[in-house]
Amino acid sequence: MSDLWPHQGAAVQQGLDFLHGGAMPGGFGLFFEQRAGKTRVAIEIAKQLKARRVLVLCPSQHGSIPKVWRRELQAQWPNSRVVIPEGTGRERAEEIRKLADEPCVVVINYESAYNFPLGPKFEGPRSRIPAE
């Protein structure tokens, strides 16, 4: 397990303060430049929160990001399980459903999270979110 860089340590503390402070429950963003350590910060926050289920959204299911998450989780949180569902949308959804309440980190791409069957089923064009 490697030590955090100073800016990563500050981000972890700010994230935990934000999540525990109740200012806006539900989440926050890490807007670092590329290769500045967002993955490491997110893992450290999840560890400190003793998170049982973590969802990671990335641009591509087959790019470098899922591999980075798998490698970093093995190094920084060795007891965690990372799941990168494969196959069609329905196959990915079924793989995630089979996990039930099993502790894990699920890594999927944006489109999988947005589109049915993982995401909501919208009436009308798929490119627009319906008005509330």
Side-chain angles (χ1 to χ4, degrees):
M1 190 175 323
S2 64
D3 291 333
L4 295 171
W5 296 329
H7 73 279
Q8 290 174 311
V12 168
Q13 190 58 54
Q14 287 176 348
L16 291 170
D17 290 347
F18 186 83
L19 291 170
H20 287 132
M24 182 181 278
F28 65 98
L30 293 171
F31 300 103
F32 294 174
E33 296 290 329
Q34 288 181 325
R35 305 195 50 81
K38 295 180 291 293
T39 302
R40 179 71 171 90
V41 170
I43 291 170
E44 189 61 32
I45 290 171
K47 280 174 44 180
Q48 289 194 30
L49 291 173
K50 295 179 174 61
R52 290 184 36 82
R53 301 294 298 262
V54 176
L55 175 64
V56 176
L57 299 176
C58 59
S60 170
Q61 196 78 4
H62 303 289
S64 63
I65 295 173
K67 293 176 188 128
V68 168
W69 272 91
R70 185 179 305 278
R71 184 184 69 235
E72 286 296 312
L73 284 162
Q74 288 172 347
Q76 307 301 333
W77 199 7
N79 296 331
S80 65
R81 176 177 177 209
V82 62
V83 177
I84 305 171
E86 296 290 332
T88 67
R90 290 192 191 284
E91 291 167 340
R92 291 178 192 191
E94 184 59 27
E95 186 174 349
I96 291 169
R97 272 190 211 95
K98 285 180 181 177
L99 295 169
D101 283 337
E102 184 178 331
C104 62
V105 177
V106 177
V107 181
I108 61 173
N109 63 328
Y110 304 140
E111 292 79 19
S112 292
Y114 174 77
N115 290 318
F116 182 79
L118 289 177
K121 185 174 184 179
F122 296 125
E123 299 297 327
R126 294 185 93 171
S127 62
R128 289 195 290 163
I129 296 174
E132 293 184 29

Coordinates of all heavy atoms in Angstrom, one line a residue, residues 74-122:
Q74 N -6.3 -4.2 -6.2 CA -5.5 -5.3 -5.7 C -4.4 -4.7 -4.8 O -4.0 -5.3 -3.8 CB -4.9 -6.1 -6.9 CG -6.0 -6.9 -7.6 CD -5.4 -7.5 -8.9 OE1 -4.4 -7.2 -9.4 NE2 -6.2 -8.5 -9.4
A75 N -3.8 -3.6 -5.2 CA -2.7 -3.0 -4.4 C -3.1 -2.3 -3.2 O -2.5 -2.4 -2.1 CB -1.9 -2.0 -5.3
Q76 N -4.2 -1.5 -3.2 CA -4.6 -0.6 -2.2 C -5.7 -1.2 -1.2 O -5.8 -0.8 -0.1 CB -5.1 0.7 -2.7 CG -4.1 1.4 -3.6 CD -2.7 1.6 -3.0 OE1 -2.6 1.8 -1.8 NE2 -1.7 1.7 -3.8
W77 N -6.5 -2.1 -1.8 CA -7.6 -2.7 -1.0 C -7.7 -4.1 -1.4 O -8.7 -4.6 -2.0 CB -8.9 -1.9 -1.3 CG -10.0 -2.0 -0.4 CD1 -10.0 -2.6 0.9 CD2 -11.4 -1.5 -0.6 NE1 -11.3 -2.5 1.4 CE2 -12.1 -1.8 0.6 CE3 -12.0 -0.8 -1.6 CZ2 -13.4 -1.5 0.7 CZ3 -13.3 -0.5 -1.5 CH2 -14.0 -0.8 -0.3
P78 N -6.7 -4.9 -0.9 CA -6.6 -6.3 -1.4 C -7.8 -7.2 -1.1 O -8.0 -8.2 -1.8 CB -5.3 -6.8 -0.7 CG -4.8 -5.7 0.1 CD -5.7 -4.5 0.0
N79 N -8.6 -6.9 -0.1 CA -9.7 -7.8 0.2 C -11.0 -7.4 -0.6 O -12.0 -8.1 -0.4 CB -10.0 -7.7 1.7 CG -8.9 -8.3 2.5 OD1 -8.1 -9.1 2.1 ND2 -8.7 -7.8 3.7
S80 N -10.9 -6.4 -1.4 CA -12.1 -6.0 -2.2 C -12.2 -6.9 -3.4 O -11.2 -7.5 -3.9 CB -12.0 -4.6 -2.6 OG -10.9 -4.4 -3.5
R81 N -13.4 -7.0 -4.0 CA -13.6 -7.7 -5.2 C -14.1 -6.7 -6.3 O -15.0 -6.0 -6.1 CB -14.8 -8.7 -5.0 CG -15.1 -9.5 -6.2 CD -16.1 -10.5 -6.0 NE -16.5 -11.1 -7.3 CZ -17.6 -11.6 -7.6 NH1 -18.6 -11.7 -6.7 NH2 -17.9 -12.1 -8.7
V82 N -13.4 -6.8 -7.4 CA -13.8 -5.9 -8.5 C -14.5 -6.8 -9.6 O -14.1 -7.9 -9.9 CB -12.6 -5.2 -9.1 CG1 -11.6 -6.1 -9.7 CG2 -13.0 -4.1 -10.1
V83 N -15.6 -6.2 -10.1 CA -16.4 -6.9 -11.1 C -16.6 -6.0 -12.3 O -17.0 -4.8 -12.1 CB -17.8 -7.3 -10.5 CG1 -18.7 -7.9 -11.6 CG2 -17.7 -8.2 -9.3
I84 N -16.2 -6.5 -13.4 CA -16.3 -5.7 -14.7 C -17.2 -6.6 -15.6 O -16.7 -7.5 -16.3 CB -14.9 -5.4 -15.3 CG1 -14.0 -4.7 -14.3 CG2 -15.1 -4.6 -16.6 CD1 -12.6 -4.6 -14.7
P85 N -18.5 -6.3 -15.6 CA -19.4 -7.2 -16.3 C -19.1 -7.1 -17.8 O -18.8 -6.1 -18.4 CB -20.8 -6.6 -16.0 CG -20.6 -5.8 -14.8 CD -19.2 -5.3 -14.8
E86 N -19.3 -8.2 -18.5 CA -19.1 -8.4 -19.9 C -20.4 -8.8 -20.6 O -21.3 -9.2 -20.0 CB -18.0 -9.4 -20.2 CG -16.6 -9.1 -19.7 CD -15.9 -7.9 -20.4 OE1 -16.2 -7.7 -21.6 OE2 -15.1 -7.2 -19.8
G87 N -20.4 -8.6 -21.9 CA -21.5 -9.1 -22.7 C -22.5 -8.0 -23.1 O -22.2 -6.8 -23.0
T88 N -23.7 -8.4 -23.5 CA -24.7 -7.5 -23.8 C -25.2 -6.8 -22.6 O -24.9 -7.1 -21.5 CB -25.9 -8.3 -24.5 OG1 -26.5 -9.1 -23.4 CG2 -25.5 -9.1 -25.7
G89 N -26.0 -5.8 -22.8 CA -26.6 -5.0 -21.7 C -27.4 -5.9 -20.7 O -27.3 -5.8 -19.5
R90 N -28.2 -6.8 -21.3 CA -28.9 -7.8 -20.5 C -28.0 -8.7 -19.7 O -28.3 -9.0 -18.5 CB -29.9 -8.6 -21.3 CG -31.0 -7.7 -21.9 CD -32.2 -8.5 -22.5 NE -33.1 -7.7 -23.2 CZ -34.0 -6.9 -22.6 NH1 -34.1 -6.9 -21.3 NH2 -34.9 -6.2 -23.4
E91 N -26.9 -9.2 -20.3 CA -26.0 -10.1 -19.7 C -25.3 -9.3 -18.5 O -25.1 -9.9 -17.4 CB -25.0 -10.6 -20.6 CG -25.6 -11.6 -21.6 CD -24.7 -11.9 -22.8 OE1 -23.7 -11.2 -23.1 OE2 -25.0 -13.0 -23.4
R92 N -24.9 -8.1 -18.8 CA -24.3 -7.3 -17.7 C -25.2 -7.1 -16.5 O -24.8 -7.2 -15.4 CB -23.8 -5.9 -18.3 CG -22.7 -6.0 -19.2 CD -22.3 -4.7 -19.8 NE -21.4 -4.8 -20.9 CZ -20.8 -3.8 -21.4 NH1 -20.9 -2.6 -21.0 NH2 -19.9 -4.0 -22.4
A93 N -26.5 -6.7 -16.9 CA -27.5 -6.5 -15.8 C -27.7 -7.7 -15.0 O -27.7 -7.7 -13.7 CB -28.8 -6.0 -16.4
E94 N -27.7 -8.9 -15.6 CA -27.9 -10.2 -14.9 C -26.7 -10.5 -14.0 O -26.9 -10.9 -12.9 CB -28.1 -11.3 -15.9 CG -28.4 -12.6 -15.3 CD -29.6 -12.6 -14.4 OE1 -30.6 -11.8 -14.6 OE2 -29.7 -13.4 -13.4
E95 N -25.5 -10.2 -14.5 CA -24.3 -10.4 -13.7 C -24.3 -9.6 -12.5 O -24.0 -10.0 -11.4 CB -23.0 -10.2 -14.5 CG -21.8 -10.5 -13.8 CD -20.5 -10.4 -14.7 OE1 -20.6 -10.2 -15.9 OE2 -19.4 -10.4 -14.1
I96 N -24.7 -8.3 -12.6 CA -24.8 -7.4 -11.5 C -25.9 -7.9 -10.5 O -25.7 -7.8 -9.3 CB -25.0 -6.0 -11.9 CG1 -23.8 -5.5 -12.7 CG2 -25.4 -5.0 -10.8 CD1 -23.9 -4.2 -13.4
R97 N -27.1 -8.3 -11.0 CA -28.2 -8.8 -10.2 C -27.7 -10.0 -9.4 O -28.1 -10.1 -8.2 CB -29.4 -9.1 -11.0 CG -30.3 -8.0 -11.3 CD -31.6 -8.4 -11.9 NE -32.1 -7.4 -12.7 CZ -31.9 -7.3 -14.0 NH1 -31.2 -8.2 -14.7 NH2 -32.3 -6.2 -14.7
K98 N -26.9 -10.8 -9.9 CA -26.5 -12.1 -9.2 C -25.6 -11.7 -8.1 O -25.4 -12.6 -7.2 CB -25.7 -13.0 -10.2 CG -26.7 -13.7 -11.2 CD -25.9 -14.6 -12.1 CE -26.8 -15.3 -13.1 NZ -26.0 -16.2 -14.0
L99 N -25.0 -10.5 -8.0 CA -24.1 -10.2 -6.9 C -24.9 -9.9 -5.7 O -24.4 -10.0 -4.6 CB -23.4 -8.9 -7.3 CG -22.4 -9.0 -8.4 CD1 -21.9 -7.7 -8.9 CD2 -21.2 -9.9 -8.0
A100 N -26.2 -9.6 -5.8 CA -27.1 -9.4 -4.7 C -26.5 -8.3 -3.7 O -26.1 -7.3 -4.2 CB -27.5 -10.7 -4.0
D101 N -26.2 -8.7 -2.5 CA -25.6 -7.8 -1.5 C -24.2 -8.1 -1.3 O -23.6 -7.6 -0.3 CB -26.4 -7.8 -0.2 CG -27.7 -7.1 -0.3 OD1 -27.8 -6.2 -1.1 OD2 -28.6 -7.4 0.6
E102 N -23.6 -8.8 -2.2 CA -22.1 -9.2 -2.0 C -21.3 -7.9 -2.1 O -21.4 -7.1 -3.0 CB -21.8 -10.2 -3.1 CG -20.4 -10.7 -3.0 CD -20.1 -11.7 -4.2 OE1 -21.0 -12.3 -4.6 OE2 -18.9 -11.7 -4.5
P103 N -20.3 -7.7 -1.2 CA -19.5 -6.6 -1.2 C -18.6 -6.6 -2.5 O -18.0 -7.6 -2.8 CB -18.6 -6.7 0.0 CG -19.3 -7.7 0.9 CD -20.1 -8.6 0.0
C104 N -18.6 -5.5 -3.2 CA -17.8 -5.5 -4.5 C -17.7 -4.1 -5.0 O -18.4 -3.2 -4.6 CB -18.4 -6.4 -5.5 SG -20.0 -6.0 -6.0
V105 N -16.8 -3.9 -6.0 CA -16.7 -2.7 -6.8 C -17.1 -3.1 -8.2 O -16.4 -4.0 -8.8 CB -15.2 -2.1 -6.7 CG1 -15.1 -0.9 -7.6 CG2 -14.8 -1.8 -5.3
V106 N -18.1 -2.5 -8.7 CA -18.6 -2.7 -10.1 C -18.1 -1.6 -11.0 O -18.4 -0.4 -10.7 CB -20.1 -2.9 -10.1 CG1 -20.6 -3.1 -11.5 CG2 -20.6 -4.0 -9.2
V107 N -17.4 -2.0 -12.1 CA -16.9 -1.0 -13.0 C -17.7 -1.2 -14.3 O -17.6 -2.3 -14.9 CB -15.4 -1.2 -13.3 CG1 -14.9 -0.1 -14.2 CG2 -14.6 -1.1 -12.0
I108 N -18.4 -0.2 -14.7 CA -19.2 -0.2 -16.0 C -19.0 1.1 -16.7 O -18.6 2.1 -16.2 CB -20.7 -0.5 -15.8 CG1 -21.4 0.5 -15.0 CG2 -20.9 -1.9 -15.2 CD1 -22.9 0.4 -14.9
N109 N -19.3 1.1 -18.0 CA -19.2 2.3 -18.8 C -20.4 3.1 -18.7 O -21.5 2.6 -18.3 CB -18.8 2.0 -20.3 CG -19.9 1.1 -21.0 OD1 -20.5 0.3 -20.4 ND2 -20.0 1.3 -22.3
Y110 N -20.3 4.4 -19.1 CA -21.4 5.3 -19.0 C -22.7 4.8 -19.7 O -23.8 4.9 -19.1 CB -21.1 6.7 -19.6 CG -19.8 7.4 -19.1 CD1 -19.0 8.0 -20.0 CD2 -19.5 7.4 -17.8 CE1 -17.9 8.7 -19.5 CE2 -18.4 8.0 -17.3 CZ -17.6 8.7 -18.2 OH -16.5 9.3 -17.7
E111 N -22.5 4.3 -20.9 CA -23.7 3.9 -21.7 C -24.4 2.7 -21.0 O -25.6 2.7 -21.0 CB -23.3 3.5 -23.1 CG -22.8 4.7 -24.0 CD -21.4 5.1 -23.7 OE1 -20.6 4.3 -23.1 OE2 -21.0 6.2 -24.0
S112 N -23.7 1.8 -20.4 CA -24.3 0.7 -19.7 C -25.2 1.2 -18.5 O -26.3 0.7 -18.3 CB -23.3 -0.3 -19.2 OG -22.7 -1.0 -20.2
A113 N -24.7 2.2 -17.8 CA -25.4 2.7 -16.7 C -26.6 3.5 -17.1 O -27.6 3.6 -16.4 CB -24.5 3.6 -15.8
Y114 N -26.5 4.2 -18.3 CA -27.6 5.1 -18.8 C -28.7 4.3 -19.5 O -29.9 4.6 -19.3 CB -27.0 6.1 -19.7 CG -28.0 7.0 -20.4 CD1 -28.6 8.0 -19.7 CD2 -28.4 6.7 -21.7 CE1 -29.5 8.8 -20.3 CE2 -29.3 7.5 -22.3 CZ -29.9 8.6 -21.6 OH -30.8 9.3 -22.2
N115 N -28.3 3.3 -20.2 CA -29.3 2.6 -21.1 C -30.0 1.4 -20.4 O -29.4 0.8 -19.5 CB -28.7 2.1 -22.4 CG -28.3 3.2 -23.3 OD1 -29.1 4.2 -23.4 ND2 -27.1 3.2 -23.9
F116 N -31.2 1.1 -20.7 CA -31.9 0.0 -20.3 C -31.2 -1.3 -20.7 O -30.6 -1.3 -21.8 CB -33.3 0.0 -20.9 CG -34.2 -1.1 -20.4 CD1 -34.8 -1.1 -19.2 CD2 -34.4 -2.2 -21.2 CE1 -35.6 -2.1 -18.7 CE2 -35.2 -3.3 -20.8 CZ -35.8 -3.2 -19.6
P117 N -31.0 -2.3 -19.9 CA -31.7 -2.7 -18.7 C -31.0 -2.2 -17.4 O -31.7 -2.3 -16.4 CB -31.7 -4.2 -18.8 CG -30.5 -4.6 -19.4 CD -30.2 -3.5 -20.5
L118 N -29.8 -1.7 -17.5 CA -29.2 -1.2 -16.2 C -29.8 0.2 -15.8 O -30.1 0.4 -14.7 CB -27.7 -1.1 -16.3 CG -26.9 -2.4 -16.4 CD1 -25.5 -2.1 -16.6 CD2 -27.2 -3.2 -15.1
G119 N -29.9 1.1 -16.8 CA -30.5 2.4 -16.6 C -32.0 2.4 -16.7 O -32.6 1.4 -17.0
P120 N -32.6 3.6 -16.6 CA -34.0 3.6 -16.7 C -34.5 3.4 -18.1 O -33.8 3.6 -19.1 CB -34.3 5.1 -16.3 CG -33.1 5.8 -16.6 CD -31.9 4.8 -16.3
K121 N -35.7 2.9 -18.2 CA -36.3 2.7 -19.5 C -37.2 3.9 -19.8 O -38.2 4.1 -19.2 CB -37.2 1.4 -19.6 CG -37.7 1.1 -20.9 CD -38.4 -0.2 -20.9 CE -38.9 -0.5 -22.3 NZ -39.5 -1.8 -22.4
F122 N -36.7 4.8 -20.7 CA -37.5 6.0 -21.1 C -38.4 5.7 -22.2 O -38.1 4.9 -23.1 CB -36.5 7.1 -21.5 CG -35.6 7.5 -20.4 CD1 -34.2 7.5 -20.6 CD2 -36.1 7.9 -19.1 CE1 -33.4 7.9 -19.6 CE2 -35.2 8.3 -18.1 CZ -33.9 8.3 -18.3

